[in-house]
Amino acid sequence: MSRLLGEGLGVSCRYGPEADEIQRVIRFNISRLLGMDSDSDFNKMALGLGHGLSRFKLKFNSDKVDTMIIQAVSLLDELDKEVNNYMMRLREWYGWHFPELSKIVPDSLLYTKTVRVVGQRHKAKEVQLDSVLPEDLEKDVRKAA
């Protein structure tokens, strides 16, 4: 940073332990040096400055609409991967307990709801599954339990 200041402003800068100490003191006392009453005022100012810089950067990005769409699609892809990973883990781990359920209920959402309602395998015969599964799947689950 001192090199950039020296080149840009034509000022000679020195760097060493003394400069580190001066920077630390300035950072620690910045709100008082700027004449602010409390640290919360400084935090609000820093937050506003950060938001302003972000808006400024977005304003000058000609592809900002494209960028937002690309980021949204990327986020959806990441979420889809995460949901698939969790479903694979759920099927694998609950499969040790009730392996037939994965074949009976292939839909991931129905499988998750069924596991949540059933809990332990021996409870599958007593639990009301009509609110979660269609009638034919409910009978198959009870039979497999």
Side-chain angles (χ1 to χ4, degrees):
M1 183 152 99
S2 63
R3 182 179 57 82
L4 292 173
L5 283 173
E7 290 173 2
L9 299 175
V11 177
S12 65
C13 296
R14 293 189 318 173
Y15 182 78
E18 297 87 10
D20 287 340
E21 183 65 18
I22 290 171
Q23 287 178 348
R24 187 190 66 76
V25 169
I26 289 172
R27 270 195 311 267
F28 186 73
N29 296 304
I30 191 77
S31 61
R32 279 181 273 170
L33 292 171
L34 293 175
M36 297 184 175
D37 295 333
S38 66
D39 286 337
S40 66
D41 290 340
F42 176 74
N43 290 338
K44 289 177 188 175
M45 184 198 72
L47 181 65
L49 179 63
H51 286 191
L53 283 172
S54 296
R55 278 194 296 283
F56 179 76
K57 285 181 180 180
L58 280 175
K59 187 184 287 185
F60 287 106
N61 186 356
S62 62
D63 304 325
K64 68 180 176 184
V65 174
D66 294 340
T67 303
M68 286 189 264
I69 292 171
I70 290 168
Q71 288 176 347
V73 169
S74 175
L75 180 63
L76 284 174
D77 288 342
E78 288 178 34
L79 288 172
D80 192 40
K81 283 181 187 177
E82 286 299 316
V83 168
N84 286 335
N85 282 338
Y86 288 127
M87 281 310 305
M88 286 182 357
R89 286 183 187 157
L90 176 65
R91 287 182 186 272
E92 180 183 349
W93 293 346
Y94 199 74
W96 285 99
H97 181 65
F98 194 172
E100 299 89 357
L101 186 63
S102 187
K103 294 175 186 167
I104 297 169
V105 185
D107 181 61
S108 297
L109 183 60
L110 289 178
Y111 186 86
T112 305
K113 288 179 179 181
T114 305
V115 167
R116 183 173 166 225
V117 170
V118 170
Q120 296 179 356
R121 182 179 186 162
H122 64 86
K123 293 181 182 178
K125 293 182 181 179
E126 300 112 31
V127 174
Q128 293 294 326
L129 293 172
D130 56 351
S131 64
V132 178
L133 292 174
E135 191 175 322
D136 57 332
L137 290 179
E138 181 183 358
K139 287 178 185 176
D140 292 342
V141 169
R142 290 186 193 285
K143 192 185 303 180

